[in-house]
Amino acid sequence: MCARVALAMVTALAGGCAWDGPMSTVVARSDLNRSILSVYSIITWASVIIAAVVFAVLALILLRFRARADEAALPPQVRGHTALELAWTIGPALILLVIAIPTIQVIFRTQTTAAPENALEVTVRGWQWWWEFRYPTLDVVTANELHLPAGRPVVFTLDGPDVIHSFWVPQLGGKRDVIPGRLNRLAFTPERAGEYWGQCAEFCGASHANMRLRVIVEEPAAFERWVSAQKGSPPEPSGAAAEGKSIYTRNACVGCHTIRGVSAGTLGPDLTHFGSRQLFGAGLWPVTPDHVVAWLKDPPALKPGSKMPNLGLSDDDAKALAAYLIDLK
């Protein structure tokens, strides 16, 4: 029984030690995260050294001054020791100084407002419960999936239109609050192409846990192709998709969502190139007919507290509308 319990405990402990998971904070994929991890490293090694010294001294004291049968009941007492008192005052002060200097340097690095040369500007807007990404110099708007070029500095301006959120992509940078009425900034250079998951890190309501984001870091040429595709207009639909467009234009969709040339709503995600995204619902479901139909039929059932209401669509209307949205490449 004890062996099984011990095995279960070891398994549970090992299961929590994954190093390179999608939300790992100890794998640096940007210059900012690398500088943050350097501070963590200093603090970790300082803690290890302190712990080793404390346990070594404690073991020495337990062995050297343990009670012996042939000794008096109470050993001679020492009242004060100037050298020891100076040592345990100056020692911790020096340790704190070693930690404080690089920490302050990184804090100033993360709070700078100066944009690096050739930096890509991105405006991040946190909504309940999805992310909007605007590229003001590129005239591109997307939702929940953020595309960035590898090796190029990026400056984010963080804006909160409704409540406080927190923008956090663990492998690329530290958390930064998205606050109504205040513009925060965050800057880093993604170093390697890949997909990186993020999450709202500030409780913001019923679907806070469902407010995910996905960062796709691409080689510069691939990023330019993505920008070019996003600037283009989606093709004119045909068949079921054409019927879906008609359903879209005569329902409340047009008041909340933007599709260039069709509608200009601002309360929900921009859908101009919805079909080019791999996931929707802030990273919850793949863009497939079945998932999109289920969402259109009853959004609050799939995402608690969803601001998109149940529009009462019939099965046929939901399928046609899903075909239209998926066709928006």
Side-chain angles (χ1 to χ4, degrees):
M1 179 65 180
C2 291
R4 288 198 294 268
V5 172
L7 179 61
M9 293 177 65
V10 170
T11 303
L13 179 63
C17 295
W19 187 265
D20 195 9
M23 297 293 285
S24 173
T25 60
V26 294
V27 177
R29 294 291 184 258
S30 75
D31 59 335
L32 172 60
N33 212 28
R34 200 171 298 284
S35 63
I36 293 173
L37 284 179
S38 70
V39 175
Y40 286 172
S41 178
I42 292 171
I43 295 173
T44 300
W45 281 111
S47 301
V48 169
I49 293 170
I50 292 170
V53 171
V54 168
F55 283 118
V57 173
L58 178 60
L60 176 63
I61 291 173
L62 291 175
L63 292 173
R64 173 69 179 81
F65 298 102
R66 70 186 186 277
R68 293 181 174 84
D70 58 344
E71 290 183 342
L74 187 65
Q77 302 298 295
V78 176
R79 303 295 180 184
H81 193 295
T82 303
L84 280 178
E85 292 175 1
L86 287 173
W88 64 51
T89 300
I90 296 174
L94 292 176
I95 292 170
L96 291 176
L97 185 64
V98 168
I99 293 173
I101 291 175
T103 300
I104 293 172
Q105 289 175 332
V106 171
I107 288 174
F108 277 101
R109 153 77 176 82
T110 62
Q111 297 299 320
T112 181
T113 58
E117 186 177 354
N118 193 37
L120 175 65
E121 296 180 18
V122 179
T123 299
V124 177
R125 307 189 78 197
W127 298 82
Q128 291 179 308
W129 288 271
W130 59 281
W131 297 96
E132 179 182 28
F133 303 114
R134 293 180 173 269
Y135 301 75
T137 60
L138 303 177
D139 193 27
V140 169
V141 181
T142 187
N144 300 316
E145 292 188 0
L146 173 65
H147 288 249
L148 300 175
R152 181 178 175 183
V154 185
V155 175
F156 299 94
T157 301
L158 309 172
D159 180 21
D162 46 32
V163 300
I164 298 176
H165 302 280
S166 185
F167 181 75
W168 183 42
V169 185
Q171 294 188 8
L172 296 179
K175 301 172 186 176
R176 191 59 51 91
D177 283 347
V178 184
I179 304 174
R182 174 177 175 177
L183 298 180
N184 280 342
R185 290 169 68 86
L186 179 68
F188 59 75
T189 302
E191 297 175 339
R192 184 183 301 181
E195 296 183 3
Y196 306 99
W197 282 92
Q199 171 71 44
C200 177
E202 180 75 30
F203 181 70
C204 54
S207 264
H208 160 68
N210 297 323
M211 190 172 170
R212 307 173 188 175
L213 68 134
R214 191 162 150 264
V215 181
I216 299 97
V217 178
E218 303 167 303
E219 296 299 334
F223 175 74
E224 292 300 328
R225 288 194 297 271
W226 176 81
V227 170
S228 178
Q230 293 295 304
K231 286 185 174 183
S233 297
E236 190 63 27
S238 59
E243 174 61 22
K245 180 179 179 180
S246 175
I247 295 168
Y248 176 89
T249 56
R250 66 173 183 260
N251 272 281
C253 314
V254 295
C256 294
H257 297 281
T258 291
I259 295 179
R260 281 201 300 271
V262 179
S263 62
T266 59
L267 297 179
D270 188 305
L271 302 178
T272 304
H273 293 284
F274 175 84
S276 69
R277 301 167 194 162
Q278 295 185 20
L279 303 171
F280 75 99
L284 294 181
W285 301 281
V287 178
T288 64
D290 288 344
H291 286 102
V292 177
V293 167
W295 172 264
L296 294 173
K297 288 283 292 180
D298 193 359
L302 274 67
K303 192 168 187 175
S306 172
K307 302 296 183 180
M308 180 174 170
N310 185 337
L311 300 176
L313 296 173
S314 67
D315 289 344
D316 290 341
D317 284 355
K319 290 178 181 178
L321 184 52
Y324 172 54
L325 294 175
I326 294 173
D327 198 46
L328 297 173
K329 302 295 186 180

